[in-house]
Amino acid sequence: MSRAGNGAAMEREEAFAGSVVPHLRFAEPDGDSLRKPTISPVRRGEVQPVKRNLIDPGWVLMAPIIGAAALVNGIATLTVPHIFAMGGWVLALIIAASTPWLIQFDRARPFSAMRHNTMATFVVALPMFLMGLSVAQWTAATRAHWSDAIGTLVIIGAMASLILKRRAPSIITAQIALWTGVALIAGNRGIWFALTAGTAMGLYTSIRQVRSDEREARRQREREHNQLRAEEILSDFEQTGQGWFWETDRRGLLVYVSPTIGDVLNVPQSRLLGRPLTELFDPDEQGFDGERSLAFHLTARSPFLDLTLRAASRSEERWWSVSGRPLYDSLGNYLGFRGSGNDLTEKLRSEEQVSRLAHFDSLTGLANRVQMAQTLEKILNSHAVEHRVCAVFLLDLDRFKQVNDTLGHPAGDNLLTQVAARLEHAVDQHGRVGRLGGDEFQVILPGHHQRRDLAALAQRIIAELSEPYAIDGHRVVIGASVGIALSPDDGVTSEAIIRNADLALYAAKDNGRGRHHFYAPDLHSDAEERRQLEQDLRDALTTGCFELYYQPVVHTATERITGFEALLRWNHPTRGWLPPSKFIPVAEDSGLIAQIGEWALRTACHDLASWPDSVRVAVNVSPLQFANPALPAVITQALAAAQVDPSRLELEITESVFLNDDEGIDAMFAALKRVGVRLALDDFGTGYSALGYLKKAPFDKIKIDQSFVRGATVDGSRNGAIITSIVSLAEALGMETTAEGVETMDELDLVRALGCSHVQGHIYAKPLDLRRATECLKTGLTMAARGPRVSRAVRHSLLRRVTLEYGGEVYDGMIRNISATGAMVEGLWNVPPGTVFTIALGEGQRIRATTRWCHRDRMGMEFAAPLAVDSMGRVAMIWGNKARRAKSASSDFQERRARSRA
């Protein structure tokens, strides 16, 4: 391959992939040694004009030529020059030999153009003139033949032209000076005419040459300026780290790479030269198959564009987009590759972040609704029918809204994060967990699962999510409800599966929350029933089907009625009396609770107008009503229409009304107090942070929740201490207290002894309709307590199959409810009271119990010895076994899943 051709090819400027590739000149020595880029010593930002000196440095060669010409002329003519000719030859030789010193003198001083030209004329023209004059004098003095002298002159002129190369002005000056010296000695009209004509032609040629040189100089300056500017731009581009350049030889070894690559790889640039291009990239991280694609293109010598490759950096993860094209010389010989690259790291990170935001929940890090839907669709649309099997859990947190409302949204976010972590831990590797929004979560378990295994996992999830949480120094307890749907049993489309899991979730919540429920076809009818119930609620508002019942509130010291609590009742036209627990949740979900609450306020005020002035009425206010700025106006209108003193109306507010907007809460309390109504804090102690609001909320009364009254008289109960602390707190704040749910004489004696100012419960009266409440007031305001002497142990509903042994016979039965002292069992008919059975609860647990009553197939049984209860008042023997079985079943489930995965 021609080195000249190689050099010409390497000096071409190229643009690649929309970027200007640096114009590098390489000097390639013989052999296979690496080509090293040569860098011009021009300073950055400086463009040097092309300066063609009139004095050529090679003009010093004229000195030996002059000496040789004198010697040749003497030999040719066999004569010796006289003193004047010899002096001219010597002076010309000295001037020519002084050329290097004269050039340095010319460059060292800022001469003007005229002085510069004068110096050039002196150095070039004077020696030539002296030689022409000396040759002519020598020839004339010795009477030699002019043919010999002409040869010497021609030789001297030719050598001067060769030395001066393309410097036309200097060449013409030298020739004119040479022949002018001849013409002065041997001149005639012909010689002077020829010399004049030659001078004119020389001047014309010189002018054209000068102009041509100027144009060439301008082009050269422009090329150098553009070259330098391109180098500066590319250098800046490299230094910013946005892009870099590389070049290889025919063997794929690097001959150039940007210095920034050495910084990224923590390797000096010099050590990268001579190494294969592929060593710049990590072969172990085949991002997007870029490494294999690069090797293919290098082998095939085909151009490539934007290959994504991971840098061979160990300190941090970096990604590059690399492009390249093969190089060929003018003869078509392959020279190697040249290309560029740019950093993709931030772009990929940004795309990854965008993708994460699009597919993952930003708060918990779980998959979001979109990704969960895609996961379910992928399973249900699998090519293999046997792979379209999965189970879907829908979870809803119980009492989460109370945490969000009382502790604030940051605390709620903290709680959701902890819930997500527990949920992932419970599900482990068996499925995918996602957050759909709010306090709704979803779990997808691919593959076929037994229902008992799914039930065990659901119970484990509920148990783990129900454990206490620590939120900003508060101990928070919530619960969870789970709805389960299976594919293909409960649907073959994602819409059907989600809808049916949602129906199962509603069923779990309707059954008391903290439960799981599998989808069943009859749930559709339940959903339709709920929808119909909502419509009936709307009709009841317009037709006046609601009623208010009133439960007396009695002063503990005087046993006089001080007021009533208004309780909502609904006599459904087809279903009869419905308990509030059946329709109030529907009213809250549908938003009808505000209209129903306004009706209750107006009706209670109207009924209150016919009662004695010393009697008050208490009306419950929902959080939605309390948040309505129009509430004070609604209350004022109701009081004005009934002509009732505002102090006779008492609003019962639960702790859940305390939102983060402290100014809004304070403003509402201030507005209600300006109206003149009384305020009572209902269900005190069931929330999380009411104490923080008691110091500024203007309550007149605290109502002690019945959960503290129930079981307060049982030995070992701490409820009495809790009641005492609440009473002491209320007295210190100047508030009254009402104990709710008092049903037995021992409970009444306890709350009276603990200092409660008022009592409300069945011990005095059940809720009364308006007619009976009015009649009760007409007979007098004093009421007598009537009820059982002692309270029985708290009973819990339960469906549990057991066996009963009597006289060597074994009978099957079902426990319907149970307490620490007894249980109700069904399945045996007409059992005589006093019959003693041995009840086998399973797992080796046997209890002796005596029948106390029997009605049809149900009988009440008293245990021979009370059973132990846990901290929640439940029978430890029953609920402990259930928890252990759930945990064991969950462990079996995980073990089977692990074996199947293995």
Side-chain angles (χ1 to χ4, degrees):
M1 182 177 62
S2 171
R3 295 295 178 186
N6 186 15
M10 298 306 295
E11 289 183 355
R12 291 198 301 268
E13 294 185 6
E14 298 184 13
F16 182 78
S19 301
V20 179
V21 179
H23 183 70
L24 302 175
R25 293 182 176 87
F26 294 93
E28 183 177 359
D30 294 336
D32 293 329
S33 60
L34 299 176
R35 290 176 289 171
K36 304 294 184 181
T38 60
I39 302 176
S40 173
V42 179
R43 292 193 301 271
R44 180 179 176 87
E46 179 181 352
V47 178
Q48 296 291 339
V50 178
K51 183 177 180 181
R52 184 179 295 277
N53 298 313
L54 293 178
I55 305 174
D56 192 282
W59 186 248
V60 69
L61 297 176
M62 284 302 297
I65 291 173
I66 292 172
L71 180 61
V72 169
N73 191 65
I75 295 173
T77 59
L78 299 177
T79 60
V80 177
H82 59 80
I83 188 65
F84 294 103
M86 181 63 70
W89 281 97
V90 172
L91 182 58
L93 188 148
I94 292 173
I95 294 174
S98 303
T99 298
W101 180 84
L102 293 174
I103 290 176
Q104 292 181 1
F105 180 78
D106 177 47
R107 291 180 176 177
R109 286 163 176 75
F111 289 152
S112 63
M114 181 177 293
R115 290 187 131 182
H116 175 74
N117 292 332
T118 302
M119 176 70 70
T121 302
F122 173 78
V123 174
V124 175
L126 185 57
M128 297 297 289
F129 174 77
L130 291 174
M131 282 189 293
L133 185 64
S134 298
V135 170
Q137 286 183 343
W138 190 350
T139 302
T142 58
R143 299 183 181 275
H145 196 274
W146 276 100
S147 60
D148 297 328
I150 292 299
T152 301
L153 294 172
V154 170
I155 291 173
I156 292 173
M159 296 304 295
S161 298
L162 289 176
I163 291 174
L164 294 175
K165 298 179 182 177
R166 294 180 65 248
R167 290 173 174 79
S170 297
I171 294 173
I172 294 172
T173 300
Q175 296 294 334
I176 292 174
L178 176 66
W179 293 106
T180 300
V182 175
L184 289 177
I185 301 301
N188 53 39
R189 283 195 295 264
I191 292 176
W192 284 105
F193 177 79
L195 183 60
T196 303
T199 301
M201 292 180 62
L203 290 174
Y204 174 75
T205 303
S206 178
I207 292 172
R208 286 179 58 88
Q209 183 63 44
V210 168
R211 291 178 177 175
S212 175
D213 289 345
E214 289 178 350
R215 288 193 297 270
E216 179 63 24
R218 283 196 299 269
R219 286 194 293 268
Q220 181 65 17
R221 285 195 298 270
E222 290 178 359
R223 284 195 296 270
E224 292 186 358
H225 176 72
N226 294 335
Q227 173 70 21
L228 182 59
R229 181 170 57 188
E231 292 177 357
E232 291 177 349
I233 292 173
L234 293 176
S235 178
D236 291 339
F237 185 70
E238 286 182 323
Q239 291 176 5
T240 59
Q242 300 179 28
W244 51 280
F245 303 97
W246 57 272
E247 185 172 352
T248 69
D249 61 11
R250 64 182 66 88
R251 296 173 300 172
L253 304 180
L254 287 168
V255 295
Y256 176 78
V257 66
S258 297
T260 53
I261 299 304
D263 298 337
V264 172
L265 302 181
N266 295 323
V267 178
Q269 181 194 23
S270 58
R271 290 181 56 187
L272 295 176
L273 300 178
R275 307 299 302 171
L277 172 66
T278 54
E279 289 190 5
L280 299 180
F281 315 108
D282 192 344
D284 296 330
E285 295 290 342
Q286 306 289 338
F288 312 98
D289 292 330
E291 182 76 15
R292 290 189 291 272
S293 298
L294 176 63
F296 168 78
H297 287 293
L298 293 178
T299 303
R301 299 180 181 178
S302 61
F304 54 90
L305 182 65
D306 295 336
L307 290 182
T308 301
L309 299 161
R310 178 172 177 174
S313 173
R314 296 296 178 263
S315 58
E316 60 175 339
E317 181 177 337
R318 308 293 298 181
W319 291 91
W320 289 327
S321 175
V322 182
S323 303
R325 61 178 297 179
L327 298 177
Y328 298 92
D329 63 12
S330 58
L331 301 179
N333 296 311
Y334 172 67
L335 303 177
F337 263 84
R338 178 182 295 171
S340 61
N342 58 81
D343 198 305
L344 287 180
T345 306
E346 295 303 324
K347 179 181 178 182
L348 293 179
R349 287 174 180 172
S350 177
E351 291 177 353
E352 181 181 0
Q353 180 66 13
V354 171
S355 176
R356 182 167 186 82
L357 291 176
H359 294 87
F360 291 89
D361 178 54
S362 59
L363 176 63
T364 63
L366 299 178
N368 62 9
R369 184 185 296 271
V370 173
Q371 188 174 8
M372 295 300 288
Q374 292 175 351
T375 301
L376 184 58
E377 286 285 354
K378 184 178 180 180
I379 294 174
L380 298 180
N381 295 327
S382 176
H383 294 292
V385 177
E386 61 271 15
H387 294 160
R388 300 175 188 172
V389 182
C390 67
V392 176
F393 286 17
L394 283 185
L395 293 89
D396 190 74
L397 302 182
D398 303 330
R399 300 185 298 277
F400 171 76
K401 187 177 184 303
Q402 297 179 16
V403 179
N404 219 22
D405 292 345
T406 56
L407 295 183
H409 292 291
D413 292 345
N414 189 348
L415 177 59
L416 289 175
T417 303
Q418 295 189 42
V419 167
R422 292 190 185 186
L423 190 54
E424 282 193 303
H425 178 267
V427 177
D428 200 20
Q429 300 297 322
H430 308 310
R432 160 159 280 181
V433 180
R435 179 183 176 221
L436 304 183
D439 61 341
E440 295 181 282
F441 294 84
Q442 186 181 45
V443 177
I444 298 178
L445 302 171
H448 179 74
H449 307 281
Q450 296 293 332
R451 286 181 178 257
R452 64 174 178 271
D453 298 332
L454 295 174
L457 178 59
Q459 290 173 2
R460 180 184 176 191
I461 289 174
I462 293 172
E464 291 198 15
L465 297 186
S466 300
E467 291 293 326
Y469 299 82
I471 307 292
D472 297 333
H474 297 83
R475 182 175 181 272
V476 175
V477 178
I478 61 171
S481 301
V482 181
I484 307 173
L486 308 178
S487 170
D489 298 350
D490 303 328
V492 294
T493 65
S494 60
E495 293 81 4
I497 293 295
I498 297 299
R499 181 184 66 249
N500 294 337
D502 197 39
L503 290 175
L505 175 60
Y506 269 109
K509 295 167 68 173
D510 289 341
N511 289 339
R513 301 179 182 267
R515 301 170 181 265
H516 71 275
H517 201 289
F518 285 91
Y519 167 77
D522 59 357
L523 294 181
H524 282 286
S525 61
D526 295 339
E528 177 61 26
E529 178 185 0
R530 186 181 182 89
R531 188 198 64 80
Q532 184 61 49
L533 190 61
E534 179 181 337
Q535 183 59 46
D536 292 343
L537 278 172
R538 299 181 186 276
D539 296 339
L541 274 173
T542 59
T543 58
C545 293
F546 292 118
E547 293 184 46
L548 286 184
Y549 274 55
Y550 299 95
Q551 186 171 32
V553 179
V554 180
H555 192 272
T556 54
T558 62
E559 291 196 323
R560 289 177 59 86
I561 299 175
T562 60
F564 293 91
E565 179 182 1
L567 302 172
L568 185 65
R569 296 292 185 266
W570 182 20
N571 189 6
H572 193 276
T574 59
R575 302 170 63 180
W577 291 100
L578 294 179
S581 60
K582 185 69 175 179
F583 64 85
I584 290 297
V586 178
E588 291 176 342
D589 292 341
S590 62
L592 295 174
I593 192 66
Q595 302 175 47
I596 295 175
E598 182 175 344
W599 173 88
L601 277 171
R602 297 183 184 276
T603 303
C605 290
H606 178 270
D607 296 343
L608 181 62
S610 61
W611 294 341
D613 293 342
S614 61
V615 176
R616 296 190 294 263
V617 67
V619 181
N620 289 279
V621 176
S622 71
L624 289 176
Q625 284 179 281
F626 189 83
N628 185 5
L631 178 62
V634 171
I635 295 173
T636 302
Q637 293 174 4
L639 292 171
Q643 296 296 309
V644 172
D645 188 336
S647 63
R648 297 179 61 194
L649 176 62
E650 190 170 83
L651 303 181
E652 295 190 358
I653 302 170
T654 61
E655 293 174 345
S656 59
V657 303
F658 297 109
L659 306 174
N660 288 330
D661 185 8
D662 293 338
E663 294 182 359
I665 295 175
D666 294 342
M668 178 59 71
F669 276 125
L672 293 177
K673 293 307 290 185
R674 283 197 299 270
V675 173
V677 297
R678 289 168 54 87
L679 300 177
L681 181 58
D682 197 13
D683 299 335
F684 180 78
T686 59
Y688 303 103
S689 60
L691 292 178
Y693 297 104
L694 283 178
K695 61 182 180 181
K696 58 181 179 180
F699 288 112
D700 300 286
K701 177 187 291 187
I702 295 178
K703 300 193 71 173
I704 302 173
D705 189 72
Q706 61 180 351
S707 62
F708 297 116
V709 176
R710 298 284 176 83
T713 58
V714 178
D715 292 339
S717 174
R718 298 181 180 180
N719 290 1
I722 296 175
I723 296 174
T724 300
S725 63
I726 296 175
V727 171
S728 299
L729 176 64
E731 290 178 349
L733 297 175
M735 301 177 187
E736 299 176 351
T737 52
T738 297
E740 296 182 290
V742 178
E743 296 183 352
T744 62
M745 297 301 295
D746 58 348
E747 292 175 347
L748 177 60
D749 294 339
L750 177 63
V751 298
R752 181 182 287 123
L754 295 178
C756 292
S757 59
H758 294 79
V759 173
Q760 178 182 340
H762 293 177
I763 191 66
Y764 284 107
K766 294 182 179 181
L768 309 172
D769 59 19
L770 176 61
R771 180 183 61 81
R772 288 188 294 167
T774 303
E775 291 178 353
C776 179
L777 292 176
K778 289 180 180 179
T779 60
L781 298 180
T782 303
M783 296 196 73
R786 296 183 179 86
R789 182 59 207 168
V790 296
S791 60
R792 67 178 184 178
V794 178
R795 294 181 175 267
H796 299 277
S797 298
L798 179 70
L799 290 177
R800 177 74 175 274
R801 292 190 178 276
V802 295
T803 58
L804 299 92
E805 301 178 5
Y806 173 76
E809 298 291 336
V810 178
Y811 306 92
D812 292 328
M814 176 79 72
I815 294 181
R816 303 292 298 187
N817 60 55
I818 191 171
S819 70
T821 59
M824 183 177 73
V825 180
E826 68 177 15
L828 279 73
W829 291 73
N830 303 323
V831 177
T835 305
V836 179
F837 289 93
T838 299
I839 304 177
L841 296 176
E843 299 184 9
Q845 301 178 14
R846 303 166 66 84
I847 306 172
R848 289 182 60 82
T850 302
T851 305
R852 296 303 180 194
W853 58 267
C854 181
H855 178 69
R856 299 175 65 83
D857 65 337
R858 293 187 176 184
M859 58 181 176
M861 307 190 71
E862 181 182 3
F863 298 145
L867 304 180
V869 296
D870 59 17
S871 59
M872 301 180 65
R874 302 177 304 186
V875 177
M877 181 181 296
I878 299 297
W879 268 264
N881 292 340
K882 290 177 66 176
R884 285 192 295 270
R885 287 196 299 273
K887 183 175 183 180
S888 175
S890 178
S891 300
D892 293 343
F893 171 74
Q894 293 183 356
E895 183 178 354
R896 284 193 294 271
R897 288 288 295 170
R899 288 199 300 268
S900 65
R901 289 167 62 90

